[in-house]
Amino acid sequence: MNNFENRRVLIIDDDTRIHEDFIKILGEKDSKSEYNEIEAKLFSDEVSQVESIVYELDSAYQGEEGYEKVLAANSEGRPYAMAFIDMRMPPGWDGLETIKQIWQIDSQIQLVICTAYSDYSWNEVLYHLGASDRLIILKKPFDMVEVQQLTTALTTKWSLSCESISRLQQIEESEEKYRTVVDSVEDTIMTLDKEGNIMFVNHNPWNMINQAVGGNYYYDIKDEYREKVKQTVEDVFSKGEQKNIEYATSNGVNKTVWSEGRLTPNYKNNKVVAATLIASDISARKALDWQLRHDELTGLANRTQFSDYVKSCLANKDSEELLVILFIDLDHFNLINDCFGHELGDKLLVRISKLLSKKVDENEMLARLGGDEFAILKCVNKDDSWVHKYAESLNDLLKQPLTVAGFDIYPSASIGVVVVKDTATTVTSLLQDADAALYHAKSKGRNRYECFDQKMRDEVVKRVSMGNELRQAIENDQFEAYYQPFTNLSKGRVTGFEALIRWNHPIKGMIYPDEFIPVAEETGLIFSITKKMLMMGCSQIKEWQDMGLGDIVVSINCSARDFNEQNMQQIIEETIKETGADIKQLELELTESTIMDDAENSIECMRLLTDMGLNISIDDFGTGYSSFSYIKQFTIDKLKIDRTFICDTPQVQDDVAIVEAIIAMAHRLKIKVVAEGVETAEQLAFLQTAKCDVIQGYLLGKPMSSEEATSRLQQGDWPNQELIKKI
Ligand code: C2E
Ligand code: CA
Ligand code: CA
C-alpha cells in the first residue's frame, strides 16, 4: 500500500437497485455471514482474489447530488478515486452532463459511465466529452467480475497517477531548488560535450556568456584563446583529468570578459561523457593587472613592465643579438604644458607615443616611464653602426613640427642610449646607465642623443659623492661669495655686483659653480646654498652702506627649485630683517627656464617680491624660450643678455641685430638691459651706441673677493673713466 491508496467509490444512479447491486459486488464481505456463503458458492473463485480490497462506497441518486458529493469529498481532502455514473437519471443531469461538471472540479477522478445498449455509442460519448484516459464505458447489464476488476484497476490507477504526480512535483521542487542555487552563483557553470556544445548552463545576472543550451561555447571565445580552450576540453575527455584554464570571451559588442575556470570530467560507466566548467569572471583583476603594467594615457607599457621585459630579454639573449635601451625625454615639455595647458600636453604625448610605436617591432618594446619620458628596447643583430643611425632617426622623427589641437608645436627630444654588452648586468644598473646617457644628452644642449660609456657612470658616482661633500660643505661653511661688478653706462660707475658662489674645498681648492650647482639642484641642497648666498649678499649690502660707499646693489642667482618649491618671500623678509640691509639694494636673477618651469606660480611669486621693493632680473636672456609677449607679464626690472650673443659682436652682424632688437624691445617695455660677458673695448663701444644700460664682464672686472671689491670701491674711479670716455 502506498500513501496514495484510495478506494473511495461513488455510485451515481437514480435506480436504488443498482446501488444495492454495487454494494453486493464491491461491499465488504463478512465471510461468516450466510449471505456470503451462498454468494461464494454461486460465484467463481476469482471473487475471493479481490476480497482483500476494501472499498468505501457512497451513493448519489442524481447527477447534481453526485457533483455535490465530489465537491464535498475534495474539500475534506478525501477525494473519490472513481465514480460509476448512470447515463440516464431523469429528471436531473444525464450521465454526460454529470461527467462534464465533475471533471471541472476534479481532474483526477476516474469515471465509468454505465449505459444500456439503447444509449449513446462510444463515438457519441467521445463526441460529447472528448477523448480521455479517465473515462470507461460499461455496458449494462453488468458483469460482476468486470465491475470488480474495473474498480480495482481504476482505484489503483488513481493512486498510481497521484503518486507519479506527487513524485514529479518533488522532482520539480528539487530541480527548482538546485536551479536557484546554481543560478545564484556568480560563476558560470556549464556542461560541455566533446565539441564544446553547451549541454547545461546556469543563468544569472552576471552571466559571462552569450550562449544558451545547444549553442557552442567556443564561438564566444576570442580567436587567440579558442584553440587553447578546445585543446584543454579535449584533454579533459581523453585523459579524464581536471584542468585549469584562463581565457577571454567576448560578451556582446566590444566587451571582453576574462575568465578563469576549472574543467572537471563527468563520468558515466567509466567513460567521460561531459566536462563541467566552472568559470569566474576575473575581468576586474585583469583590469587591475593591466593598470599595474601599463600607462593609462598612452596604453603603452609602464616602467614595471619595461623593467620586467628587459630582464627577460637579458635572460634569453641570443649571442648574435644586440640589446639596445634608449631613454627618450622630450625637451622643455613643462613649457608646453604651461603655455598650452595639460590637455594639449597629454594629446602631444599620445601623438609622440604613436610616432615612436612605428619605430619598434613586435618583439621589442616601447614604454612610457612617466611624464615626458619614453623608453625603447631594441633587439638587433650585431652591428654597432646601426645604433647611431637609429638614435639619429628618433631625433629626426621627434623634431618634426606637429599640429596638436590646432597649435603648431615644435618638439625635440634628448636621448640616452645603452648598448647592452654584458648580460650579467642587472636591469637596475642598465636603466641607470640609460639615465646617465640621457643626462649627458640634456646637459650637452638637448635635442641630441648620447651613447653611454663608462666615464658617464664614473660621473654619476662623482655626482653622488659630490652630493655628500656638498652636504658637509654647507655644515662647515665652505662657501664664499665672489663679486663681479656691473657698470651703469649712463652713470659711468660701478653701481652693483653679482654675487657668484665659490666653494673653498679644503683639499681640492676652489671649485666653480658650474661643477656643483647642478648637483646641488638635483639633490635639493641648492636651497640651503641660496639661503647662505642671500645672507652673505645682504650682509655685504649693509656693510658697504655702513662704510658710506653708497647704494651698492647686490644680485643673487636663484635656481628653479628655490623659486618654485620654497617660500622665497618669507626667506628674503627674514634675511633682510636679520642683516638690516635695504631691500631696494637686493636683486634676484632668475633664468627664463626657472620662470617657465611653472609660469603661473612664478608670475605670482615675482609680484609678491617686487611689491616688497626687490628688483628682479632675467638672467641668460635669449637662451630660453620666453617671448616678449610673455615678459610683459613679468614684473621685472632688467634683462641680462646672455654672453653668447655678446661675444661675437660687433663682428657678427646677426648678433648685432639681435642685441639691438632686444635692447629696443626691452626699452619699449621700460625694462633695463644688462650685457653679460663684455670682454673687449669694441664690444663696449658697440653696446654704448646700442644704448645698453649696464655692462658686466672681464673687461670691467672679474669676479673678486669681498675684500678686493671693498678696496676697489674705496679707491673710487671705478671703472677707469678713461676706458669709458675713450669711446
Ligand atoms: P651666470 O649667472 O651667467 O654668471 C656669470 C658667469 O659668467 C660667471 O661664472 C662669471 O664668472 C662669468 N663671466 C663674467 N664675465 C665674463 C666674461 O667677460 N667672460 C667670460 N667668459 N665669463 C664671464 P661663474 O661664476 O663660474 O658662474 C657660473 C654660473 O653659475 C652662473 O652663471 C650662475 O648661473 C651659476 N651661479 C653662480 N653663483 C650662483 C649662486 O649663488 N646660486 C646659483 N643658483 N647659481 C649660481
Ligand atoms: Ca647670473
Ligand atoms: Ca648670466
Side-chain angles (χ1 to χ4, degrees):
M1 177 177 153
N2 69 32
N3 290 338
F4 299 94
E5 174 137 342
N6 177 6
R7 302 291 180 187
R8 293 197 79 195
V9 179
L10 176 65
I11 297 135
I12 310 173
D13 203 309
D14 58 337
D15 187 342
T16 49
R17 285 170 307 169
I18 297 290
H19 287 270
E20 283 161 15
D21 285 347
F22 272 108
I23 290 166
K24 252 193 244 160
I25 300 166
L26 301 171
E28 209 168 342
K29 310 285 185 297
D30 181 356
S31 51
K32 287 175 192 144
S33 78
E34 190 187 350
Y35 172 80
N36 276 320
E37 272 170 41
I38 298 162
E39 197 122 295
K41 281 174 197 159
L42 283 173
F43 295 124
S44 65
D45 288 0
E46 293 115 302
V47 180
S48 57
Q49 287 171 13
V50 292
E51 259 182 357
S52 55
I53 301 174
V54 177
Y55 299 104
E56 194 184 329
L57 300 179
D58 249 341
S59 293
Y61 297 90
Q62 283 291 294
E64 290 84 339
E65 188 194 351
Y67 173 86
E68 292 300 332
K69 288 212 156 162
V70 171
L71 201 62
N74 285 352
S75 65
E76 284 164 20
R78 299 181 62 244
Y80 293 105
M82 66 174 295
F84 289 94
I85 302 169
D86 188 22
M87 183 60 92
R88 300 198 179 282
M89 297 175 286
W93 293 341
D94 69 0
L96 294 183
E97 181 63 26
T98 309
I99 288 168
K100 273 189 209 164
Q101 296 291 339
I102 288 176
W103 270 349
Q104 287 199 7
I105 54 166
D106 189 334
S107 57
Q108 288 303 309
I109 192 164
Q110 308 290 318
L111 299 177
V112 179
I113 186 153
C114 310
T115 71
Y117 282 105
S118 54
D119 292 329
Y120 300 101
S121 71
W122 176 237
N123 281 340
E124 282 168 315
V125 172
L126 274 186
Y127 173 77
H128 286 286
L129 297 177
S132 168
D133 67 341
R134 284 173 290 135
L135 178 67
I136 282 177
I137 295 185
L138 184 63
K139 294 281 183 191
K140 287 178 185 172
F142 307 138
D143 176 293
M144 264 180 77
V145 176
E146 204 176 358
V147 170
Q148 281 176 335
Q149 285 181 342
L150 208 53
T151 313
T152 313
L154 290 182
T155 51
T156 306
K157 186 184 165 208
W158 187 95
S159 309
L160 291 175
S161 98
C162 280
E163 187 182 358
S164 69
I165 287 169
S166 158
R167 287 249 167 95
L168 209 62
Q169 264 170 4
Q170 274 173 13
I171 290 169
E172 277 173 1
E173 275 166 25
S174 91
E175 156 104 7
E176 178 111 8
K177 262 188 229 158
Y178 146 82
R179 258 282 168 198
T180 317
V181 171
V182 166
D183 287 350
S184 64
V185 174
E186 247 181 77
D187 293 347
T188 288
I189 301 174
M190 64 179 135
T191 321
L192 300 174
D193 71 10
K194 207 172 177 176
E195 279 75 43
N197 297 312
I198 300 171
M199 299 154 76
F200 165 85
V201 61
N202 64 338
H203 283 284
N204 61 40
W206 315 276
N207 220 332
M208 292 141 59
I209 68 162
N210 277 331
Q211 305 269 333
V213 169
N216 190 289
Y217 188 46
Y218 299 151
Y219 183 78
D220 268 2
I221 294 170
K222 291 206 148 202
D223 294 349
E224 55 269 46
Y225 299 99
R226 192 173 296 122
E227 274 315 307
K228 193 182 89 182
V229 177
K230 257 185 190 176
Q231 190 55 53
T232 316
V233 172
E234 278 168 28
D235 285 354
V236 170
F237 274 89
S238 62
K239 296 182 185 150
E241 290 166 0
Q242 253 187 359
K243 297 265 178 203
N244 294 332
I245 42 171
E246 191 182 297
Y247 55 95
T249 52
S250 80
N251 184 354
V253 191
N254 290 335
K255 179 144 193 281
T256 298
V257 177
W258 276 96
S259 304
E260 182 183 68
R262 171 170 286 198
L263 277 157
T264 309
N266 298 6
Y267 285 95
K268 193 170 178 186
N269 302 329
N270 282 332
K271 235 184 104 192
V272 180
V273 289
T276 296
L277 171 66
I278 300 181
S280 323
D281 186 342
I282 54 162
S283 305
R285 194 180 83 201
K286 279 279 174 186
L288 190 69
D289 282 354
W290 193 91
Q291 270 175 16
L292 291 176
R293 299 181 64 75
H294 289 82
D295 164 49
E296 210 159 328
L297 177 68
T298 57
L300 296 176
N302 64 7
R303 188 180 286 271
T304 312
Q305 198 185 156
F306 188 76
S307 308
D308 289 352
Y309 193 63
V310 172
K311 200 174 193 174
S312 78
C313 285
L314 280 179
N316 305 316
K317 195 171 114 49
D318 183 327
S319 59
E320 289 309 300
E321 212 178 40
L322 213 56
L323 290 180
V324 183
I325 295 170
L326 300 104
F327 272 17
I328 304 158
D329 192 288
L330 300 182
D331 298 331
H332 305 294
F333 182 71
N334 278 353
L335 224 70
I336 292 170
N337 262 344
D338 281 347
C339 297
F340 301 102
H342 285 260
E343 216 172 293
L344 186 135
D346 282 355
K347 281 192 180 135
L348 179 67
L349 289 172
V350 173
R351 281 284 290 280
I352 300 265
S353 76
K354 286 193 177 135
L355 283 177
L356 288 174
S357 61
K358 290 191 187 123
K359 302 288 289 181
V360 287
D361 292 341
E362 222 174 67
N363 56 341
E364 303 170 341
M365 186 176 271
L366 167 67
R368 182 177 170 221
L369 304 182
D372 56 348
E373 211 171 306
F374 294 88
I376 288 178
L377 178 75
K378 274 301 264 188
C379 313
V380 287
N381 54 25
K382 282 207 154 135
D383 172 16
D384 249 353
S385 69
W386 172 91
V387 175
H388 295 272
K389 280 190 210 125
Y390 182 74
E392 229 168 77
S393 75
L394 288 182
N395 271 131
D396 289 345
L397 179 75
L398 298 175
K399 233 183 332 202
Q400 290 172 28
L402 293 172
T403 307
V404 182
F407 293 99
D408 289 333
I409 312 261
Y410 296 85
S412 71
S414 304
I415 301 172
V417 185
V418 176
V419 177
V420 181
K421 302 229 165 81
D422 171 18
T423 49
T425 173
T426 64
V427 177
T428 318
S429 81
L430 277 176
L431 301 188
Q432 276 168 357
D433 292 351
D435 234 358
L438 176 63
Y439 179 90
H440 264 255
K442 282 200 234 172
S443 58
K444 283 195 172 174
R446 300 187 157 96
N447 188 20
R448 56 185 293 137
Y449 72 91
E450 284 294 324
C451 288
F452 174 80
D453 69 43
Q454 187 57 38
K455 271 188 247 145
M456 295 181 183
R457 194 178 295 163
D458 299 344
E459 260 178 54
V460 172
V461 173
K462 213 171 121 191
R463 280 209 302 274
V464 172
S465 73
M466 182 179 271
N468 294 333
E469 283 187 289
L470 269 178
R471 226 160 261 138
Q472 287 170 12
I474 293 167
E475 272 174 35
N476 302 336
D477 265 331
Q478 291 169 5
F479 297 108
E480 196 180 333
Y482 263 50
Y483 295 91
Q484 185 178 30
F486 42 79
T487 304
N488 185 311
L489 285 178
S490 61
K491 291 183 182 161
R493 64 175 173 90
V494 169
T495 50
F497 294 86
E498 175 174 1
L500 293 158
I501 194 165
R502 300 292 180 258
W503 177 4
N504 284 318
H505 194 282
I507 298 159
K508 297 176 191 158
M510 186 174 285
I511 304 177
Y512 286 84
D514 283 339
E515 254 187 86
F516 65 86
I517 292 289
V519 179
E521 284 173 340
E522 268 170 45
T523 49
L525 295 168
I526 188 69
F527 187 54
S528 311
I529 292 177
T530 307
K531 275 207 287 198
K532 285 200 180 282
M533 286 299 283
L534 266 173
M535 186 55 84
M536 285 190 267
C538 288
S539 308
Q540 191 63 73
I541 292 171
K542 178 79 169 110
E543 193 185 316
W544 286 330
Q545 185 83 52
D546 291 350
M547 290 168 84
L549 293 172
D551 296 342
I552 304 293
V553 169
V554 171
S555 71
I556 303 287
N557 291 284
C558 185
S559 284
R561 279 187 78 157
D562 299 325
F563 203 63
N564 291 322
E565 286 170 30
Q566 305 292 340
N567 189 357
M568 213 49 188
Q569 186 200 355
Q570 193 188 337
I571 306 285
I572 290 173
E573 260 173 3
E574 282 169 10
T575 315
I576 290 289
K577 212 168 159 192
E578 202 179 323
T579 56
D582 183 351
I583 195 163
K584 289 199 189 68
Q585 285 164 248
L586 181 67
E587 236 172 54
L588 274 196
E589 296 192 10
L590 306 172
T591 62
E592 289 166 87
S593 54
T594 299
I595 297 168
M596 299 311 279
D597 254 6
D598 184 355
E600 254 169 62
N601 178 46
S602 298
I603 290 170
E604 175 61 21
C605 196
M606 280 193 278
R607 197 185 348 257
L608 286 170
L609 291 170
T610 47
D611 281 353
M612 285 160 59
L614 185 106
N615 284 320
I616 291 176
S617 54
I618 301 284
D619 204 357
D620 304 343
F621 187 80
T623 58
Y625 277 76
S626 60
S627 62
F628 272 98
S629 65
Y630 228 106
I631 288 229
K632 271 199 297 196
Q633 300 179 52
F634 303 164
T635 46
I636 56 160
D637 183 58
K638 284 194 201 92
L639 277 185
K640 297 183 79 172
I641 304 179
D642 191 68
R643 76 166 174 273
T644 51
F645 295 99
I646 306 295
C647 64
D648 294 330
T649 57
Q651 291 82 9
V652 175
Q653 280 309 301
D654 279 356
D655 287 349
V656 167
I658 291 171
V659 171
E660 285 174 344
I662 294 175
I663 295 171
M665 291 292 279
H667 284 172
R668 209 174 293 169
L669 295 171
K670 305 211 164 30
I671 295 169
K672 291 195 197 79
V673 179
V674 182
E676 285 184 329
V678 180
E679 293 182 352
T680 65
E682 290 76 28
Q683 287 165 354
L684 175 61
F686 158 64
L687 290 163
Q688 265 185 316
T689 42
K691 301 213 160 36
C692 184
D693 304 282
V694 177
I695 54 166
Q696 183 183 354
Y698 291 171
L699 180 69
L700 296 164
K702 287 195 171 184
M704 60 193 78
S705 67
S706 153
E707 293 77 29
E708 193 182 342
T710 307
S711 81
R712 297 224 26 202
L713 278 174
Q714 283 169 331
Q715 283 164 24
D717 187 28
W718 190 25
N720 186 321
Q721 293 302 311
E722 284 305 305
L723 184 65
I724 295 185
K725 272 183 206 144
K726 244 194 259 171
I727 297 139

